[in-house]
Amino acid sequence: MTSTVPASLTRTAEGAALQAVFLDMDGTLVDTEGFWWDVEAEVFADLGHRLDEAWREVVVGGPMTRSAGYLIEVTGADVTLDELTVLLNDRFEKRIGRGVPLMPGAAGLLAELHRHEIPTALVSASHRRIIDRVLESVGRHHFALTVAGDEVTRTKPHPEPYLTAARGFGADPRLCAVIEDTATGVAAAEAAGCRVVAVPSVSPIAPAAGRVVVGSLEEVDLAFLRGLVN
């Protein structure tokens, strides 16, 4: 976890219940879920295996250990989990080196949160090396805290990543809003007790108590997020 949280950022604006906003990265903030699948397909092709498109919904949004382990199991590829993790991260890092496209509405939302000094964290199942590379495109200044998948004991769908972010801000998870694009991430946020905005990327997500589903981040602004916890 990396943090640059000034004391002033741990306080909300007067009269606002919202204490912090946590954003997932791949498929939520940046349009990279397709990148991951392409990289997985390329790496397994090099290993002599073709991925079935139906497996995509199984691996999307999950931690590297789960998705890579699943693909090894279903393909029978002769590669260890550690070896595959390195291959995938190396190929993905090379891919995003050519630029990372933001999801529609992401730039405006990040700018508004920054302008109003809302404590904002990036919480991802991706490894630190990948997060740091993406932040070069997105802008580190938007996030006072970042939590990577290889920096927690249990990553999504376990609530630990979001509980870690809340502790980093000294915030009550129940007064934090999370924006996620996958069922795995939504499960982690809800288990942590956070309010959730789901912006489905690959697979549909149904509305539920404490959860709002939107079509894109263009539908989300600070007033919308504050309304979730009031």
Side-chain angles (χ1 to χ4, degrees), residues 33 83 120 159 177 182:
E33 285 292 10
E83 290 169 341
T120 303
T182 68

Side-chain angles (χ1 to χ4, degrees), residues 23-36 38 92-108 110 122 130 133-139 143 181 201 217:
L23 295 104
D24 173 54
M25 188 175 76
D26 295 299
T28 300
L29 183 62
V30 291
D31 191 7
T32 50
E33 285 292 10
F35 285 14
W36 275 114
D38 290 345
F92 188 78
E93 189 171 5
K94 182 178 180 180
R95 178 73 177 269
I96 62 177
R98 303 195 292 268
V100 180
L102 286 173
M103 297 296 287
L110 288 175
L122 185 67
I130 301 300
R133 178 57 67 91
V134 170
L135 287 174
E136 292 174 7
S137 296
V138 175
F143 303 100
D181 73 303
S201 58
L217 292 180

Side-chain angles (χ1 to χ4, degrees), residues 206-220:
R211 178 198 313 167
V212 178
V213 180
V214 299
S216 82
L217 292 180
E218 293 174 315
E219 300 176 41
V220 181

Side-chain angles (χ1 to χ4, degrees), residues 136-159:
E136 292 174 7
S137 296
V138 175
R140 294 177 183 275
H141 65 283
H142 290 301
F143 303 100
L145 184 151
T146 60
V147 180
D150 57 339
E151 295 173 339
V152 292
T153 303
R154 294 159 295 187
T155 189
K156 304 173 188 179
H158 195 276

Side-chain angles (χ1 to χ4, degrees), residues 3 5 36 40 91 118 139 141 151 203 224:
S3 175
V5 187
W36 275 114
E40 287 161 347
R91 187 74 63 95
I118 303 299
H141 65 283
E151 295 173 339
S203 302
F224 181 97

Side-chain angles (χ1 to χ4, degrees), residues 4-189:
T4 57
V5 187
S8 62
L9 285 189
T10 64
R11 297 191 297 272
T12 59
E14 185 176 355
L18 180 68
Q19 292 185 346
V21 175
F22 307 144
L23 295 104
D24 173 54
M25 188 175 76
D26 295 299
T28 300
L29 183 62
V30 291
D31 191 7
T32 50
E33 285 292 10
F35 285 14
W36 275 114
W37 180 249
D38 290 345
V39 163
E40 287 161 347
E42 291 169 6
V43 168
F44 274 90
D46 291 345
L47 295 170
H49 298 273
R50 181 176 180 179
L51 299 188
D52 189 316
E53 187 70 23
W55 300 337
R56 183 174 182 178
E57 290 192 14
V58 179
V59 301
V60 67
M64 175 78 71
T65 51
R66 190 195 75 183
S67 58
Y70 173 81
L71 292 175
I72 291 173
E73 180 180 353
V74 293
T75 61
D78 184 18
V79 63
T80 68
L81 182 59
D82 287 343
E83 290 169 341
L84 181 57
T85 297
V86 172
L87 291 172
L88 291 173
N89 276 326
D90 285 350
R91 187 74 63 95
F92 188 78
E93 189 171 5
K94 182 178 180 180
R95 178 73 177 269
I96 62 177
R98 303 195 292 268
V100 180
L102 286 173
M103 297 296 287
L109 178 60
L110 288 175
E112 183 180 22
L113 295 174
H114 185 71
R115 185 166 63 251
H116 289 274
E117 297 188 341
I118 303 299
T120 303
L122 185 67
V123 182
S124 176
S126 290
H127 290 188
R128 169 57 55 190
R129 60 182 286 196
I130 301 300
I131 288 180
D132 285 344
R133 178 57 67 91
V134 170
L135 287 174
E136 292 174 7
S137 296
V138 175
R140 294 177 183 275
H141 65 283
H142 290 301
F143 303 100
L145 184 151
T146 60
V147 180
D150 57 339
E151 295 173 339
V152 292
T153 303
R154 294 159 295 187
T155 189
K156 304 173 188 179
H158 195 276
E160 182 180 346
Y162 285 113
L163 293 174
T164 299
R167 282 197 304 272
F169 285 137
D172 182 343
R174 296 170 297 178
L175 299 179
C176 297
V178 171
I179 305 177
E180 275 278 0
D181 73 303
T182 68
T184 298
V186 166

